[in-house]
Amino acid sequence: RLDQALGVEPEPVSPLRARPVFSARLTLPEPIGLTSDVMAGLERLLERVCADLARAHEGARRLCLIARRVDASDALAEIRLARPMRDPMRLRDLFQRKVGEMEAGFGIDALRLVATETEPLKPVQTSRRTEAERLDDLLSRIGNRIGFERVTRLLPNESHIPERGFTVAAAAWSEPEAFPPGRPRPLVLFNPVWLDVPDGREPPENFVWRGARMTRRAAWGPERIAPEWWWDDPAWRTGARDYWRVQTDQGPRLWFYRSYYPAPQWWVQGVFA
């Protein structure tokens, strides 16, 4: 290092290799303006870009189609993807709506497709789309319409408290996880609703739920759930609860619980499928 500092020994600099740019350009002999013509040109560009992605073992997460108008202005059609992808036909279907919304003006004389975001994607051999790929396409379609942050899924969380037994995550940036086996939980969970019924050791036989009179047919329980001592939740300061699954003659399957402080009371917190 002293020799390098004094200039006796060379100290070569190795620059970082630039990431490859996955793009393709198509210049048109005559201006076009029909959606079908733009889609035909897009198909050719997708084949070239996807071939480059396959050689690099990459998949696109965001693609942008730039259409140059004859007046030198640009029209853009951009899609985002729930998972890395390099299948030209699947990408074409996702572009259909965006291309239909483009304004051609006096005509389009050039097209350029750029994969602005990519991720590693190992090569796979398959003859048809799997269920996971169909789900990814659905997430991509919905996400491009309303925003990927609004398409969410529930993931398990390590807590026996019903309200904290799951977390909400964006489906495009998370993987599905199976909830651990255990006691059944309702499909719909909401803030507890107090029932104006006499207290008893079992759920009431008759009660009013959402304006309708209900009759208990069967009940399973109790399942005691106590608050977590390290988490101060105001809703659980009343102490332990005894939960019951209640089947009614009228059809709804409800999730009851009985609280004990300051006085025993019955509540409804969920509805089973």
Side-chain angles (χ1 to χ4, degrees):
R1 296 298 299 174
L2 288 175
D3 290 340
Q4 290 173 347
L6 295 173
V8 178
E9 291 289 335
E11 189 174 4
V13 177
S14 300
L16 295 175
R17 182 177 298 178
R19 287 184 57 83
V21 177
F22 302 100
S23 66
R25 181 183 177 87
L26 179 64
T27 303
L28 305 169
E30 294 290 338
I32 61 175
L34 298 177
T35 300
S36 58
D37 294 336
V38 177
M39 292 300 296
L42 175 63
E43 289 181 15
R44 298 173 60 180
L45 295 176
L46 283 171
E47 291 177 357
R48 292 159 56 184
V49 171
C50 289
D52 293 340
L53 290 169
R55 283 190 290 269
H57 295 175
E58 293 276 321
R61 284 296 297 262
R62 188 193 297 257
L63 286 160
C64 183
L65 176 65
I66 306 169
R68 189 187 65 187
R69 305 188 185 100
V70 294
D71 60 358
S73 62
D74 292 335
L76 304 179
E78 185 180 65
I79 63 170
R80 298 169 65 188
L81 303 168
R83 294 290 182 273
M85 189 188 305
R86 55 169 179 258
D87 186 330
M89 296 310 298
R90 292 168 62 192
L91 292 171
R92 179 194 182 281
D93 294 340
L94 295 174
F95 262 111
Q96 184 76 45
R97 175 174 169 269
K98 293 288 187 178
V99 171
E101 296 174 351
M102 292 177 64
E103 293 290 340
F106 295 104
I108 296 172
D109 58 9
L111 296 171
R112 184 167 181 258
L113 181 67
V114 185
T116 54
E117 290 184 16
T118 63
E119 290 183 9
L121 180 62
K122 296 181 180 179
V124 294
Q125 182 176 358
T126 180
S127 57
R128 59 183 179 179
R129 288 194 299 168
T130 63
E131 290 296 329
E133 290 174 335
R134 293 191 182 95
L135 178 59
D136 291 343
D137 290 351
L138 177 62
L139 292 177
S140 297
R141 287 193 181 92
I142 298 175
N144 281 293
R145 284 176 176 267
I146 65 175
F148 282 85
E149 295 78 8
R150 297 182 179 180
V151 184
T152 59
R153 62 160 49 102
L154 300 182
L155 300 178
N157 185 40
E158 294 184 0
S159 176
H160 59 273
I161 300 298
E163 300 89 332
R164 293 199 294 272
F166 62 91
T167 58
V168 180
W173 298 290
S174 62
E175 295 292 337
E177 296 182 30
F179 281 78
R183 296 183 180 272
R185 290 293 182 258
L187 179 65
V188 179
L189 195 68
F190 42 77
N191 291 329
V193 178
W194 175 70
L195 292 179
D196 186 8
V197 294
D199 181 50
R201 299 181 63 86
E202 294 186 357
E205 295 185 358
N206 299 283
F207 57 93
V208 177
W209 169 246
R210 293 180 176 175
R213 292 190 175 276
M214 299 284 176
T215 303
R216 186 191 78 192
R217 171 178 294 183
W220 298 269
E223 174 193 354
R224 174 153 293 191
I225 298 179
E228 297 164 339
W229 61 266
W230 61 89
W231 191 282
D232 185 18
D233 188 342
W236 282 81
R237 289 175 182 171
T238 56
R241 303 172 179 176
D242 285 340
Y243 279 84
W244 294 73
R245 289 179 291 131
V246 174
Q247 174 67 60
T248 64
D249 288 336
Q250 290 71 22
R253 299 173 60 226
L254 305 175
W255 208 32
F256 279 50
Y257 77 80
R258 186 188 186 204
S259 63
Y260 294 93
Y261 181 83
Q265 299 180 77
W266 284 100
W267 305 76
V268 180
Q269 194 177 1
V271 178
F272 290 88

